[in-house]
Amino acid sequence: MFSRSRVFSPAAVAAACAVATALGVAPPATAQSEAALKSYFEGKRVTVRLDMPGSADGVDVHADASRAIDFKRYNIDLKRYGTAIRSGESVAVTLIKTKKDLIELHLAGGGFGTFGDDTSTSANIPFVEKSQREKDLEKRVKEEDDRDRRRRLQGDLDEVRGRRERENRRITAERERIEEIKKERIAEQRLRGGSRFNLRYKGALPPGLGPQDVVAALAEYLDFGGRTDTREDVAPPADISLLRKGMTRAEAEQAFGRFVESSERRDGGLAVTTLVFDIGDQRLAADFVEDVLVRYTITSK
């Protein structure tokens, strides 16, 4: 016997909380928190401060850890999935979801790979199996003692087997063609599917968690447009001594702040992105290949 489940809107959740309060019954804390967060964030525009990977995995931010983001994993995800939202882009918060120890803040769709997205790159074209005639010929060749008859049977078998193998080679080529088309489609959809932040807490969400706590936890990575004064939004001074070849674009933007100029070009078949940073009285021009710093020049302003 099956039970039916129902999905309630944020307004219904808020109404249920109000009724429960009026009756003297405290609604679940998670329901209260999610309703408040949805009301505050959903539909609002924010500006991202780092490139966001094109995946529903998004970026994990550990609110109560000394190192909030694992940048090694972050860089791997950027290379694997591509960049769906560039640093400096303004997008809408499309969904807030709360779980036991997690708040998901979906941006511009929440990232490719959510429910309903076709993530398969497989081409389901079956290969041609051995026919009954091929199996019979194999058996007769093994059992035939007469050399001439066995040779004729072997010729018939080779012809039947050859037709099957040629067809399977054609199917293999068609599979590869379709799978390549699917990979290109998924790569394109990843760049248009948005991304998300996963704000994680140890054990469980803190009691009384409100919108201001989420803003404070994500303020380093999201610009909420000055809608709250929960923390002073002052970037640390840039430190040119952190410059090194091999650093990632994300590390460079974290160390030197928002770039003032950007350009792209082709160099020997490679796509090179040049970012220009103003650092005190110096100007840094940094060349990145696949978001890794390969060369740079420093000049006076």
Side-chain angles (χ1 to χ4, degrees), residues 43-63:
K44 306 302 181 184
R45 297 196 70 83
V46 295
T47 302
V48 298
R49 288 176 166 166
L50 77 170
D51 291 344
M52 298 295 294
S55 167
D57 293 341
V59 177
D60 286 347
V61 177
H62 298 271

Side-chain angles (χ1 to χ4, degrees), residues 143-154:
E143 294 175 349
E144 182 57 62
D145 294 329
D146 183 272
R147 180 181 300 176
D148 291 335
R149 284 197 295 268
R150 187 168 60 246
R151 186 183 301 115
R152 288 193 297 270
L153 289 170
Q154 184 65 52

Side-chain angles (χ1 to χ4, degrees), residues 113-216:
T114 54
F115 180 77
D117 290 335
D118 181 8
T119 60
S120 171
T121 59
S122 300
N124 297 317
I125 305 176
F127 286 115
V128 176
E129 301 292 339
K130 285 185 181 181
S131 65
Q132 189 59 49
R133 173 166 170 72
E134 185 176 349
K135 294 176 182 178
D136 290 342
L137 285 169
E138 287 177 337
K139 182 179 179 182
R140 291 177 64 186
V141 167
K142 290 180 181 179
E143 294 175 349
E144 182 57 62
D145 294 329
D146 183 272
R147 180 181 300 176
D148 291 335
R149 284 197 295 268
R150 187 168 60 246
R151 186 183 301 115
R152 288 193 297 270
L153 289 170
Q154 184 65 52
D156 292 342
L157 174 60
D158 290 344
E159 182 180 350
V160 172
R161 179 182 292 159
R163 283 199 300 267
R164 177 176 58 83
E165 291 177 346
R166 285 193 297 274
E167 179 62 13
N168 282 339
R169 285 195 293 272
R170 186 196 68 79
I171 290 173
T172 297
E174 183 65 8
R175 277 184 169 188
E176 291 174 353
R177 186 186 71 82
I178 292 173
E179 288 172 359
E180 191 61 32
I181 291 173
K182 283 190 170 186
K183 288 177 183 178
E184 292 175 359
R185 174 184 58 78
I186 288 175
E188 180 183 352
Q189 289 179 334
R190 286 193 182 281
L191 301 183
R192 296 186 286 105
S195 193
R196 71 180 66 180
F197 280 102
N198 304 307
L199 185 57
R200 298 185 179 275
Y201 293 85
K202 289 183 179 178
L205 298 181
L209 183 75
Q212 71 280 2
D213 301 301
V214 175
V215 171

Side-chain angles (χ1 to χ4, degrees), residues 20-35:
T21 302
L23 295 176
V25 179
T30 53
Q32 289 178 304
S33 297
E34 183 169 275

Side-chain angles (χ1 to χ4, degrees), residues 234-243 247 251-259 277-284 301:
V234 178
D239 185 355
I240 195 69
S241 68
L242 297 175
L243 181 64
M247 72 189 310
E251 291 172 333
E253 292 189 38
Q254 187 178 28
F256 311 127
R258 175 72 176 161
F259 54 86
F277 301 89
D278 283 343
I279 306 173
D281 59 355
Q282 296 177 309
R283 173 158 287 199
L284 165 66
K301 289 184 181 178

